[in-house]
Amino acid sequence: MRVPAVVIVAALSIYRVAFSAGDEFARTVANNVSPPGKAPEGMIWIPGGEFSMGAAGNGGGSCEMPMASNDADPIHRVRVDGFWMDATAVTNEQFEQFVKATGYVTIAERAPTKEEFPTAPAENLVAGSVVFAPTDHEVPLDNHFQWWTYIPGANWRHPLGPDSDLKGKEKYPVVQVAYPDAQAYAKWAGKRLPTEAEFEFAARGGLSGKTYVWGDEFRPNGKWMANTWQGKFPVKDAGEDGFAGIAPVKRFPPNGYGLYDMAGNVWEWCSDWYRPDYYKTLAEKGGVAINPQGPDSPFDPAEPNEKKRVHRGGSFLCNSQYCSRYIVGTRGKGEVNTGTNHLGFRCVKSAQEAATKLTAEPSSLL
Ligand SMILES: [Ca+2]
Ligand SMILES: [Cu+2]
């Protein structure tokens, strides 16, 4: 839901999932195939292959993961086919091209209707979206309503509310996009949203079982590798990594596949429904999960009436005090119609989809 009472959160609940002793990473074995043709503009060939997916539970991994990983257990073996992936999150200027071409109106720009929210008072049925606001003093980290607020007039053109705009923000990731908005963009672009397995395979960049998309050290040689939060959360984003708040795309080093911002900056939509026990289900089946698409239906015990899809990558709000989900393998989740100012997306394209388009185009000219 996106009416004021209900808000998306960086980390809402902890599920006590039994930590299995066999929980460990095995080697990533990438497919030995060359890219099927020329890369579509802005996209990178991800070879696919077999890898260990997920994150070790608190205390069981290579570093502490506060509130990060209780739904990312157990580590299990997955195989994905090769695919093309956008090198960066979709930017404001790219999203604007889509809106100009199609006249698409995002969910945050549409007023919620009485039909959607029969019990909501009429004065609450105002178009808007959810925005992070720092608190003016230290607060206990047990109630996210202290820093997330529904702001009327917030949407992708006004990410922080009506007084904000996109001037000079062409290369920033588009935010305040709900799942159907991201899907509509992908369809227009002849692409689709990644599965969670594709996202993680790509994020790991060919490495095996590392803590971060770049390795095991958070700041190798003192270098900041992703846009995260420094300072006291949620009071003051100290911006020691160069950015207080969101950063333009490509300001931090790419991962092993040449993908930018696969950790930090903005969360990204994946196409899988969210269930905290999905990995457990796959692990119990045994063997290797081939191109897993997520569970058949969503269920989050913390908010059983919300339909949620997976978020991946963490955001500029992630930090070691509250939510360290810039750690690769950890998972996020969000109600499908809810955007926030730290949630965006990028697209992928299957090899076959790309090939079909190439052969289809010349004949359509006949
Ligand atoms: Ca930062
Ligand atoms: Cu986080």
Side-chain angles (χ1 to χ4, degrees):
M1 265 196 225
R2 61 198 178 94
V3 284
V6 186
V7 175
I8 278 297
V9 62
L12 189 54
S13 51
I14 302 183
Y15 309 109
R16 286 272 158 223
V17 178
F19 182 71
S20 81
D23 225 18
E24 55 187 39
F25 288 102
R27 208 162 66 84
T28 296
V29 185
N31 292 329
N32 188 16
V33 291
S34 44
K38 192 168 159 282
E41 197 194 332
M43 299 190 96
I44 288 180
W45 176 245
I46 309 300
E50 205 177 294
F51 74 114
S52 296
M53 181 163 169
N58 278 359
S62 49
C63 78
E64 285 298 304
M65 296 187 279
M67 301 188 71
S69 60
N70 297 286
D71 55 0
D73 256 337
I75 291 156
H76 57 289
R77 212 59 187 158
V78 172
R79 191 184 308 151
V80 293
D81 294 335
F83 57 96
W84 300 101
M85 186 175 222
D86 289 343
T88 72
V90 172
T91 61
N92 286 317
E93 71 182 358
Q94 290 173 316
F95 200 78
E96 175 146 41
Q97 284 175 7
F98 154 66
V99 167
K100 273 197 179 138
T102 59
Y104 185 84
V105 178
T106 62
I107 298 227
E109 295 167 283
R110 307 175 206 165
T113 63
K114 197 86 199 152
E115 287 67 44
E116 287 175 276
F117 304 103
T119 57
E123 64 269 24
N124 285 3
L125 299 177
V126 181
S129 200
V130 177
V131 176
F132 171 86
T135 56
D136 59 7
H137 58 284
E138 286 190 28
V139 294
L141 300 179
D142 58 356
N143 177 5
H144 57 272
F145 290 106
Q146 296 168 115
W147 53 87
W148 286 111
T149 321
Y150 187 87
I151 305 283
N155 58 51
W156 76 275
R157 291 183 191 281
H158 307 283
L160 302 178
D163 297 335
S164 64
D165 60 41
L166 300 183
K167 278 193 199 90
K169 300 254 164 75
E170 293 80 4
K171 304 288 185 199
Y172 284 63
V174 65
V175 292
Q176 300 295 12
V177 280
Y179 186 79
D181 304 330
Q183 250 186 333
Y185 175 95
K187 193 174 173 210
W188 169 77
K191 304 177 185 178
R192 62 181 172 81
L193 296 172
T195 67
E196 188 175 16
E198 287 171 334
F199 191 97
E200 184 171 328
F201 183 90
R204 289 187 178 280
L207 301 175
S208 308
K210 296 295 182 191
T211 304
Y212 309 109
V213 308
W214 55 85
D216 277 331
E217 214 184 316
F218 186 61
R219 289 181 64 190
N221 303 314
K223 196 169 169 60
W224 295 101
M225 300 298 284
N227 185 16
T228 60
W229 173 289
Q230 296 84 46
K232 189 79 196 162
F233 185 82
V235 184
K236 171 100 180 117
D237 185 346
E240 287 160 21
D241 57 20
F243 298 91
I246 195 168
V249 299
K250 287 194 178 182
R251 291 300 177 91
F252 292 84
N255 79 351
Y257 287 139
L259 300 166
Y260 291 87
D261 309 307
M262 291 298 280
N265 212 24
V266 293
W267 284 100
E268 300 184 20
W269 284 110
C270 290
S271 58
D272 301 40
W273 287 117
Y274 175 80
R275 282 189 71 104
D277 57 359
Y278 181 55
Y279 291 3
K280 198 161 173 279
T281 314
L282 291 181
E284 277 165 4
K285 275 191 199 143
V288 179
I290 314 281
N291 294 315
Q293 305 289 311
D296 293 337
S297 58
F299 183 66
D300 182 1
E303 292 181 290
N305 297 323
E306 305 280 287
K307 288 185 168 48
K308 297 187 184 181
R309 302 227 183 223
V310 170
H311 296 164
R312 276 302 190 116
S315 81
F316 62 85
L317 293 177
C318 289
N319 59 82
S320 57
Q321 305 149 54
Y322 180 64
C323 159
S324 53
R325 283 180 294 173
Y326 41 77
I327 291 175
V328 65
T330 61
R331 314 175 69 200
K333 59 193 173 182
E335 193 277 326
V336 290
N337 289 326
T338 305
T340 66
N341 64 310
H342 74 149
L343 171 61
F345 69 103
R346 81 181 69 202
C347 301
V348 298
K349 194 168 189 160
S350 301
Q352 309 89 292
E353 287 160 1
T356 315
K357 185 141 190 292
L358 279 179
T359 51
E361 264 167 6
S363 62
S364 68
L365 296 173
L366 294 176

